[in-house]
Amino acid sequence: MFQALSNNYILCVSLLSWLAAQICKTILNFILCGELNWERMFGAGGMPSAHSALVCSLTIATARQYGLSSPFFAIVFVLAAIVMYDAMGVRRAAGEQAKILNQLLDSWMQDEMDLGPLKNGKRLKELLGHTPFEVLSGALLGILIAMLFPIK
């Protein structure tokens, strides 16, 4: 089974692009923050977008293997557009809302209000979506990897 999966050009390119983006994201976060945060290796959000890298490499690999006029290419192209639009839209907005809610909770905690179940100190995830530049960077990374990876 592993050999069959490892011979799947499209799957290998897509997963390699995701992994490369996650590694880049972790290294960039380390350079900018000065500490190694392993959550960046598996978490959403940040630079570059691993979602965009994955779906763009999937799209390019499918185009290379089956051609631009194939129904497979059409499906993955539409999927890529939806994923990247969602990353910049809904998920980014949810992250911005989480940031504001966390600030409100922090200020309420300082005032020692009775917050009931919210008093446990849990914070909402703020890094959910991407800026257009993060999506573009991930897309370019995925395209580059798919173009450089040889077709089996």
Side-chain angles (χ1 to χ4, degrees), residues 16-45:
L16 178 64
S17 296
W18 173 84
L19 181 63
Q22 291 298 102
I23 290 170
C24 288
K25 186 186 305 187
T26 303
I27 291 170
L28 282 172
N29 190 73
F30 175 73
I31 291 168
L32 294 174
C33 298
E35 64 179 274
L36 189 58
N37 181 356
W38 286 108
E39 194 276 332
R40 299 307 321 132
M41 187 64 192
F42 302 101

Side-chain angles (χ1 to χ4, degrees), residues 48-107:
S49 167
H51 289 88
S52 297
L54 186 141
V55 294
C56 283
S57 64
L58 173 70
T59 303
I60 297 301
T62 302
R64 289 183 72 196
Q65 187 151 13
Y66 295 105
L68 294 173
S69 61
S70 75
F72 304 118
F73 173 75
I75 292 167
V76 297
F77 181 85
V78 170
L79 173 71
I82 291 168
V83 166
M84 291 187 295
Y85 179 81
D86 182 64
M88 289 186 297
V90 175
R91 286 187 22 232
R92 182 177 166 130
E96 292 297 316
Q97 291 170 3
K99 190 180 297 184
I100 292 167
L101 288 171
N102 284 335
Q103 290 170 351
L104 286 172
L105 285 173
D106 289 345
S107 68

